[in-house]
Amino acid sequence: MDDGSVADLEPLRQRAEQWVADDPDPASQAELRGLIDGLPGTAAELADRFAGTLTFGTAGLRGPMRAGPNGMNLAVVRQAAAGLVAWLRERDGHRPLVIGYDGRHQSRAFAEETARVAAGAGRSALLLPRALPTPVLAHAVRLLDACAGVMVTASHNPPQDNGYKVYLGAGLGGPGGDGAQIVPPADTGIEAAIRAVGPLSAVPLGGNYSTLDESIVDSYVERAVAVLDAGTVAPEQRAALTVAYTPLHGVGAAVVRATFARAGFAPLAVVAEQAEPNPDFPTVAFPNPEEPGAMDLVLRTAVQVDADIAIANDPDADRCAVAIPDGTGWRRLHGDEVGVLLADHLMRRGVSGCYATTIVSSSMLRALTKARRVDYAETLTGFKWIVRADPHRLAFGYEEALGYCVAPHHVRDKDGITAALLVAELAAGLKAQGRTLADRLDDLAREFGVYATDQISVRVQSLGSITEMMARLRAKPPAALLDEPVVSAEDRAPDADVLTFRTSAARVVVRPSGTEPKLKIYLEVQEPVVGDDVAAARDRARAALAALGTEIATMLGL
């Protein structure tokens, strides 16, 4: 931004002064006061703080923790809570609001502020007893028959971020949305209510909210363990499995340990450096188990303890990553590999119902459900859609970004803890047979062929760059991919900004991220297994994926 004259900066200064006067947090007031006093040299930074407001969407709020309307701070949270409570008052007059939080900076303060706003409006507010995983909050919404739930978390975002997710109870979410994240038009309704909130100093606050006790955690653990099948894996087989685990400095360790112990597994080998919540995430560059290097310490631990599998949760424990020994070292399984393994395991256990995934996940689940004669559903990305795929018969849902719903009757959202339990059950049963998860993946490849998937994420500074790339693909879609003709090209606009291109053995899906300034490109190729040589088919698939990625990157000018 051009610093310009003092007169040019006066509207910005006035807006900032007005915000400071209504900001309830002295620390935020001082932060903005420093920027105001630093004008004109601080003009660009101050303008960015007031360039817009964090908008409430189906992912709730998420952004960097900083003062001003374009950041996560106490003022923005008070406004969001007041708008949410007003929206709820028009639709549900009596049931409680349950509130959870993770271990990030300010999470507890934001949760307590939400509870005070709810209590001040006369709504019963129930605060979880401590920093806990997101699945515990989702479970609590249903268990307590709440009108809604708020989870203060930025999931696997960078340390400087925080966020605010909203779940609805049965009365407002309907059968498929009981304990699920909001979907339109609830997001726009809540956003409108937030914008209608007057001065923050006029928002009534109450101190008579309740803090729940540990029985809510015990309830979650008890229901989580019920995902396992006593007839599938014997107690001694569970106890024989060695699991290396990391919560990646998040809030998962205590609940995961308790759940695995109650299920009869041996004590987990937890990465000591990452076992306790730490909002600075000091040992990882990015607290997302999908990112390169994020699982290095748990893989080191796995080698030290001669583990059978390694598991990582993201910081709020709603995602689950799995790694396995591959003969020469350890390799992380792709989310699609874990998703298909879990679906196959549940089907072989006789779990009936609908198996759902998204338009960007592997096509292999469709092939698996067809062969096993069970129902299949495909949705837009996001668990808010997956759990609504078949509200009354959903048995399992997953998305390639390490999200799995293995017990929709328990948590109607992705749940990295029950997913970890089910992975462990599968691995323990295979170990008792002298086999591994890799062996089961080979079995599935022989039956269905190799479905190999990959993703390209293009992080941008300006969202306009994403718009330009999508427009370029719409104006000139590919006629061929990997020297094979494109047999279908699907544009889901205006309902969704998603482009899909298919050949007889490849698929490309392109869409903007819903939570980050990224363009996401999902690649898939299929290779038959010839002469029982699974390794050769995987080699061909890897080469084809690399070539496909290069083709798409060239088309987008990357």
Side-chain angles (χ1 to χ4, degrees):
M1 175 180 175
D2 184 359
D3 289 346
S5 67
V6 173
D8 293 336
L9 294 174
E10 191 57 28
L12 175 61
R13 181 194 298 272
Q14 290 180 2
R15 189 179 177 199
E17 292 279 11
Q18 290 171 357
W19 183 274
V20 169
D22 197 35
D23 194 317
D25 184 3
S28 290
Q29 291 177 353
E31 186 180 329
L32 287 177
R33 175 59 57 195
L35 292 174
I36 294 170
D37 293 344
L39 289 171
T42 56
E45 174 65 19
L46 191 62
D48 187 47
R49 304 288 186 101
F50 287 86
T53 59
L54 287 188
T55 302
F56 197 95
T58 54
L61 296 172
R62 192 174 294 185
M65 285 179 285
R66 60 182 186 175
N70 202 15
M72 283 293 295
N73 53 70
L74 201 69
V76 166
V77 167
R78 180 180 292 186
Q79 186 180 39
L84 172 63
V85 168
W87 184 85
L88 290 171
R89 183 170 55 243
E90 295 177 359
R91 292 159 179 81
D92 186 300
H94 64 282
R95 290 184 302 162
L97 175 69
V98 59
I99 304 153
Y101 58 96
D102 67 7
R104 286 178 179 262
H105 292 294
Q106 293 289 94
S107 284
R108 179 169 181 170
F110 292 166
E112 290 175 341
E113 184 74 1
T114 300
R116 283 193 288 268
V117 170
R123 168 84 56 181
S124 172
L126 308 175
L127 191 68
L128 293 189
R130 53 187 167 87
L132 286 163
T134 293
V136 177
L137 181 278
H139 165 69
V141 170
R142 300 176 78 179
L143 181 73
L144 302 174
D145 192 27
C147 63
V150 169
M151 183 67 193
V152 180
T153 180
S155 189
H156 56 279
N157 271 38
Q160 65 268 22
D161 287 2
N162 215 326
Y164 199 85
K165 289 183 181 179
V166 174
Y167 294 76
L168 294 180
L172 298 177
D178 180 10
Q181 293 185 54
I182 59 171
V183 295
D187 56 339
T188 54
I190 295 170
E191 171 67 14
I194 291 170
R195 298 302 147 225
V197 173
L200 297 182
S201 57
V203 174
L205 303 177
N208 59 332
Y209 61 86
S210 301
T211 299
L212 298 168
D213 60 29
E214 286 295 314
S215 64
I216 193 71
V217 183
D218 293 339
S219 170
Y220 171 85
V221 170
E222 180 181 359
R223 295 288 299 277
V225 172
V227 74
L228 302 181
D229 179 25
T232 298
V233 179
E236 63 272 15
Q237 293 170 343
R238 295 183 192 180
L241 189 75
T242 303
V243 180
Y245 171 74
T246 180
L248 284 183
H249 297 295
V251 294
V255 179
V256 171
R257 277 173 159 149
T259 306
F260 270 68
R262 189 171 299 188
F265 288 97
L268 302 174
V270 180
V271 176
E273 302 95 321
Q274 299 173 336
E276 296 301 321
N278 187 325
D280 296 318
F281 305 102
T283 68
V284 290
F286 203 97
N288 180 351
E290 288 184 290
E291 293 289 329
M295 291 184 68
D296 284 356
L297 291 183
V298 75
L299 296 184
R300 183 193 69 185
T301 300
V303 171
Q304 292 171 344
V305 301
D306 193 23
D308 298 296
I309 55 173
I311 292 174
N313 287 136
D314 68 336
D316 69 328
D318 65 351
R319 287 173 171 84
C320 175
V322 180
I324 60 173
D326 66 357
T328 58
W330 283 75
R331 76 173 180 96
R332 293 181 302 165
L333 296 183
H334 193 280
D336 284 318
E337 292 178 303
V338 176
V340 170
L341 280 171
L342 292 178
D344 171 66
H345 180 56
L346 289 172
M347 290 177 198
R348 289 188 296 135
R349 271 181 36 184
V351 177
S352 61
C354 179
Y355 287 69
T357 191
T358 73
I359 59 173
V360 303
S361 299
S362 174
S363 304
M364 191 172 181
L365 182 61
R366 180 192 292 271
L368 182 65
T369 56
K370 183 178 180 180
R372 303 290 190 266
R373 297 182 179 180
V374 298
D375 291 342
Y376 171 79
E378 193 171 283
T379 74
L380 294 174
T381 56
F383 262 85
K384 59 185 177 288
W385 302 117
I386 292 173
V387 298
R388 291 173 169 88
D390 190 333
H392 301 289
R393 300 188 62 255
L394 184 68
F396 170 81
Y398 96 92
E399 61 182 359
E400 48 75 41
L402 308 182
Y404 316 96
C405 177
V406 303
H409 55 281
H410 168 47
V411 170
R412 198 165 285 271
D413 194 18
K414 56 185 174 293
D415 182 348
I417 299 172
T418 50
L421 268 183
L422 201 62
V423 167
E425 178 184 71
L426 172 58
L430 289 167
K431 181 177 181 179
Q433 301 167 17
R435 307 180 76 236
T436 66
L437 295 179
D439 293 326
R440 186 60 197 152
L441 285 170
D442 286 350
D443 293 343
L444 292 169
R446 293 184 185 97
E447 185 176 358
F448 298 102
V450 171
Y451 285 69
T453 56
D454 200 3
Q455 182 188 139
I456 302 171
S457 290
V458 184
R459 186 175 287 274
V460 298
Q461 294 299 317
S462 167
L463 293 179
S465 301
I466 293 177
T467 302
E468 290 172 7
M469 286 187 280
M470 294 295 289
R472 193 179 310 150
L473 271 181
R474 286 189 166 101
K476 191 176 180 181
L481 295 168
L482 298 178
D483 298 322
E484 293 288 336
V486 171
V487 296
S488 72
E490 183 177 10
D491 186 347
R492 294 179 182 266
D495 296 330
D497 193 7
V498 181
L499 296 170
T500 304
F501 308 102
R502 290 184 177 87
T503 72
S504 60
R507 185 195 66 188
V508 175
V509 184
V510 187
R511 72 173 183 94
S513 169
T515 57
E516 299 175 89
K518 286 181 178 181
L519 182 71
K520 292 193 171 183
I521 305 161
Y522 303 84
L523 312 174
E524 180 179 53
V525 298
Q526 300 172 31
E527 283 287 340
V529 174
V530 179
D532 202 41
D533 195 342
V534 175
R538 289 209 171 97
D539 287 342
R540 293 195 303 272
R542 277 191 290 269
L545 275 179
L548 186 59
T550 299
E551 279 191 29
I552 294 297
T554 301
M555 290 177 197
L556 293 172
L558 301 178

